[in-house]
Amino acid sequence: MAMRSFGWPRSLHGETLFKVLLATVIAVPLVVFVLYPLIHILGRSFQTPEGLGLANYAAVLGTERFLRLVYNSFAVTLTTTVVTVVLAYVFAYAVQRTCLPLKNLLRLIALVPLFAPSLVQAQGLVLLLGRNGLVNRTLGTDFSIYGFWGIVIASILYVFPYAFLIFSAALATADNRLYESSRILGANRLRTFLTVTLPSSRFALIAASFVVFTLVITDFGNPMVVGGDYSVLATEVYNQVIGQANFELGTVIGMVLLLPVALAVAGEKWVHQREYAQISAGSLPLQLRPDRLRDTVFTVYALLICAVILMVVGVVIFASFTHLWPYHMGFSLRHYAFDVQNGIQPLWNSVYIGLMAAGIGVAATGLAAYVIEKFATLVRAPLSFLCIVPAAVPGMVLGLGYVLAFNKPDTPLSFLYGSLLLIALCNVYYYHAQGFLIASTSMKQISSSFDEASATLGASLLRTMGKITLPLMWPTLVGIAVFFFMRSMVTLSAVIFLITPSTQVAAVSVLMLEDRGAVNQAAAFSVCIMAVVIIALLMARIILNVLGFRHVTLIR
């Protein structure tokens, strides 16, 4: 009765309750599956036999080995970042700013590493340049790819498509008036590039640098395969936890690894907030003018990059069909019989995990984007921050946190430990920030006038979501589902501590087979992973075509 005296409709209170409920549904899992594991890692890093203290940090941070690991990690990461940014920028420029033939094919080839586990690049390098690689056996040389440069080259191939996607988006559009003005004023091509093109893409350069830095410093698949005696922080976390069961020192190094990643993510967000639109209402589309010399040079460059990518991935595919690499190179399908421990089950486990992650990820990130973009509430800012926190957490750190948080009988969620569902949840919240940003960006493009018109016609909030927002978001949601499925199929660092004999996944099987020298079986698993990802992309493409979204791209 008191509510009616103020003239508040009953439906208004129902919608308010619904908004609070949605916000809670989003926030609680983020706290449980992101903050809760991180708190456990932080607490374990201070745990000593004598109680809480700084002894673990003192035992790690002051040693010569730790300083060498830090130096190695930053040497590899910074070198990879600089080289990758230059190579990817030039490749994106060739695709977007020159009259390059077969652009779509070259763009697709550049994205091939996204479809495979991160260590496929290292696999290919070992098969090509390892001690028993094609180069050494063909030329009779004794070249070794193991060590610093092996990690750098494998990492460049791993992160190249991420940088290319950022640069490609930045260079896809431009105001033709600026280039016409430069040409009229007599500026040559180099001066135009330095004064017009490069400044307009500076935010993309910084953002790509941060993204590449984060991916490389947290990757341990490539260093494990081609690192040899050259250890980095990520491999040390693995060795401390898996090799020596030393969780305390592992968590200390994990916390140290968390710091540069968090700073890199914060830097990328700072740059993103200051980025401004390059295209205004009066802008004219950029007109590409054919130039034989320029187009020939960039075509040769693009073909060389694509040739390297195809050669490294192609040799893995080739090895999977040989009888016994490199001694018996005859054609054979015997490695696809998967006569190894657990057989083909790890691949099916990965598919199940990917499907669960796709469903949960779409629901989690889609609802989060809807609540934050459509509801003006007091919790909007902290909830938005909570949604992007996972971007600052390395996969190995989050996975280790899950072991510490959920592997306790007295924990209410302990039943999840050792299940495929927990691995799927780990993948969802490891990649939550990326999925949320995709959904949020798409949600921003839906005008609020649709919601206002629906409310004016008397439709409830739930009906508006179902009849207006959801149909407009279908292409984005399908893309997010594909994103979570792909990442779950190929990710390694986030799940390496969570697998058991019954929950083995394909990407980890590749690492273990490679580690014990079963290169043919490892290659076969890698090929199967790539095949499953490509099939998923084709199925998603068919779904979008059936829904009438033929021109929507799945990988942006």
Side-chain angles (χ1 to χ4, degrees):
M1 294 298 293
M3 292 296 185
R4 290 186 180 182
S5 65
F6 285 98
W8 291 359
R10 187 185 302 272
S11 61
L12 180 61
H13 302 294
E15 289 193 358
T16 302
L17 182 61
F18 181 65
K19 291 179 180 179
V20 172
L21 180 62
L22 275 183
T24 304
V25 167
I26 295 163
V28 170
L30 282 166
V31 171
V32 172
F33 295 110
V34 180
L35 297 186
Y36 182 61
L38 291 180
I39 291 172
H40 272 75
I41 287 186
L42 181 63
R44 189 65 175 264
S45 68
F46 290 104
Q47 185 176 322
T48 68
E50 294 76 26
L52 297 180
L54 297 173
N56 294 329
Y57 285 88
V60 172
L61 302 185
T63 62
E64 181 181 348
R65 175 174 174 77
F66 173 76
L67 296 177
R68 186 171 66 253
L69 290 171
V70 172
Y71 174 82
N72 290 351
S73 294
F74 277 89
V76 165
T77 303
L78 293 176
T79 303
T80 301
T81 300
V82 171
V83 176
T84 303
V85 166
V86 173
L87 294 178
Y89 188 94
V90 177
F91 190 89
Y93 186 90
V95 171
Q96 299 293 356
R97 296 297 178 89
T98 70
C99 298
L100 195 71
L102 303 174
K103 285 187 177 183
N104 290 333
L105 177 60
L106 295 175
R107 182 185 291 111
L108 180 62
I109 293 173
L111 300 179
V112 164
L114 292 177
F115 309 151
S118 63
L119 53 78
V120 161
Q121 288 72 37
Q123 275 185 286
L125 289 178
V126 170
L127 293 170
L128 285 171
L129 303 172
R131 295 183 181 91
N132 282 319
L134 283 178
V135 173
N136 283 334
R137 292 186 68 84
T138 302
L139 302 179
T141 56
D142 191 26
F143 179 81
S144 177
I145 192 63
Y146 299 98
F148 173 82
W149 286 110
I151 301 174
V152 168
I153 296 172
S155 298
I156 290 171
L157 293 168
Y158 164 48
V159 298
F160 181 86
Y162 296 93
F164 165 67
L165 286 172
I166 295 173
F167 292 139
S168 182
L171 295 171
T173 56
D175 188 349
N176 194 63
R177 296 174 302 175
L178 297 175
Y179 291 88
E180 284 297 321
S181 298
S182 179
R183 185 177 62 84
I184 292 171
L185 291 172
N188 58 31
R189 294 186 185 278
L190 178 60
R191 186 170 179 82
T192 300
F193 173 79
L194 294 175
T195 58
V196 180
T197 306
L198 197 60
S200 67
S201 56
R202 64 184 182 276
F203 291 111
L205 284 165
I206 300 173
S209 299
F210 283 133
V211 169
V212 170
F213 180 92
T214 301
L215 289 170
V216 175
I217 201 170
T218 59
D219 177 51
F220 92 107
N222 288 313
M224 283 291 292
V225 175
V226 294
D229 296 329
Y230 196 92
S231 298
V232 293
L233 287 171
T235 56
E236 185 67 10
V237 175
Y238 177 80
N239 291 331
Q240 288 291 339
V241 175
I242 299 297
Q244 304 179 36
N246 194 335
F247 285 88
E248 286 74 22
L249 296 188
T251 55
V252 169
I253 299 173
M255 293 304 298
V256 172
L257 191 59
L258 184 65
L259 182 59
V261 176
L263 291 176
V265 171
E268 193 274 334
K269 300 305 174 189
W270 180 84
V271 170
H272 180 72
Q273 290 173 357
R274 280 151 181 78
E275 190 172 4
Y276 55 86
Q278 301 291 332
I279 303 299
S280 62
S283 298
L284 298 176
L286 180 64
Q287 301 294 324
L288 296 178
R289 300 173 182 270
D291 183 296
R292 178 173 294 182
L293 178 61
R294 180 203 64 188
D295 295 342
T296 301
V297 170
F298 279 103
T299 298
V300 171
Y301 172 80
L303 289 174
L304 286 174
I305 293 292
C306 290
V308 172
I309 293 173
L310 289 179
M311 183 168 55
V312 171
V313 176
V315 74
V316 175
I317 298 173
F318 175 71
S320 71
F321 292 105
T322 60
H323 188 80
L324 180 62
W325 182 279
Y327 307 104
H328 189 336
M329 304 294 277
F331 178 81
S332 175
L333 292 174
R334 70 190 189 105
H335 305 296
Y336 287 91
F338 296 106
D339 53 346
V340 294
Q341 185 179 9
N342 296 323
I344 199 173
Q345 188 59 42
L347 182 64
W348 287 113
N349 287 345
S350 293
V351 172
Y352 300 146
I353 290 168
L355 292 174
M356 286 190 287
I360 298 170
V362 166
T365 58
L367 283 175
Y370 186 85
V371 169
I372 291 170
E373 297 300 329
K374 298 296 182 181
F375 299 167
T377 62
L378 294 175
V379 299
R380 182 176 182 178
L383 189 58
S384 178
F385 174 76
L386 195 58
C387 285
I388 64 172
V389 162
V393 183
M396 294 187 71
V397 175
L398 186 63
L400 181 57
Y402 274 46
V403 174
L404 300 176
F406 302 116
N407 190 21
K408 294 181 178 179
D410 57 343
T411 302
L413 295 177
S414 61
F415 68 92
L416 289 173
Y417 192 78
S419 69
L420 297 179
L421 178 58
L422 184 63
I423 299 176
L425 287 168
C426 184
N427 285 327
V428 167
Y429 288 99
Y430 176 41
Y431 294 109
H432 185 278
Q434 293 90 326
F436 165 74
L437 290 174
I438 295 171
S440 181
T441 301
S442 180
M443 195 75 68
K444 283 182 169 71
Q445 298 173 358
I446 302 176
S447 174
S448 59
S449 60
F450 289 106
D451 301 283
E452 295 168 0
S454 180
T456 302
L457 293 173
S460 65
L461 182 62
L462 189 60
R463 185 173 179 82
T464 301
M465 287 177 61
K467 295 294 184 179
I468 296 177
T469 308
L470 189 59
L472 293 174
M473 286 286 292
W474 261 119
T476 298
L477 296 179
V478 172
I480 292 173
V482 171
F483 168 76
F484 277 109
F485 182 85
M486 286 177 56
R487 292 293 90 200
S488 296
M489 286 296 302
V490 304
T491 191
L492 187 65
S493 61
V495 302
I496 189 66
F497 296 131
L498 296 177
I499 56 105
T500 65
S502 61
T503 60
Q504 177 79 291
V505 296
V508 176
S509 291
V510 174
L511 175 66
M512 293 184 172
L513 288 168
E514 190 73 31
D515 187 53
R516 73 174 192 231
V519 295
N520 294 97
Q521 290 91 340
F525 260 110
S526 293
V527 172
C528 288
I529 293 172
M530 289 186 279
V532 169
V533 171
I534 292 172
I535 291 171
L537 285 169
L538 292 175
M539 291 179 63
R541 182 72 268 167
I542 293 171
I543 292 172
L544 287 178
N545 289 347
V546 170
L547 293 174
F549 302 104
R550 295 181 178 274
H551 302 293
V552 175
T553 56
L554 285 169
I555 301 177
R556 306 176 186 182

